[in-house]
Amino acid sequence: MFEGFKRRRIEVSEATINCVTAGNGPPLLLLHGYPQNLAMWAKTAPFLAEKFTVVCADLRGYGDSTKPGARRTTATIRSGPWRPTRSR
């Protein structure tokens, strides 16, 4: 599965994200739905990698990605990469 793709583990706030990447061109991020994992893209991703830089990732807590700690506070939510920005 995902032959020719590079496997990666990316450390982010409170979790490690598992993903595979391949191809050249504009980036294309493929995310799975509930209760899937990145394997759902195994047949589609190689074709897309012919024209795009494809990244297939397991969401936090799914597949081989770790899940964040059970304790969520306002401080940990604000410190993450998902922190909201102010609208103008």
Side-chain angles (χ1 to χ4, degrees):
M1 188 175 343
F2 290 107
E3 292 174 22
F5 278 68
K6 182 177 180 179
R7 297 198 170 272
R8 297 174 172 225
R9 296 196 47 87
I10 301 168
E11 298 288 328
V12 296
S13 179
E14 297 186 27
T16 301
I17 303 300
N18 178 57
C19 66
V20 294
T21 61
N24 291 304
L28 180 61
L29 176 62
L30 301 177
L31 298 174
H32 60 82
Y34 171 82
Q36 306 293 325
N37 62 30
L38 66 78
M40 72 174 286
W41 298 111
K43 291 184 179 181
T44 306
F47 295 105
L48 294 171
E50 293 174 7
K51 295 190 177 191
F52 298 95
T53 298
V54 175
V55 179
C56 302
D58 282 329
L59 296 174
R60 294 186 315 165
Y62 290 87
D64 289 331
S65 291
T66 62
K67 63 182 179 179
R71 185 170 181 176
R72 300 289 304 227
T73 66
T74 305
T76 60
I77 291 170
R78 273 195 227 125
S79 68
W82 52 85
R83 74 176 154 260
T85 57
R86 292 184 184 184
S87 58
R88 296 181 183 195

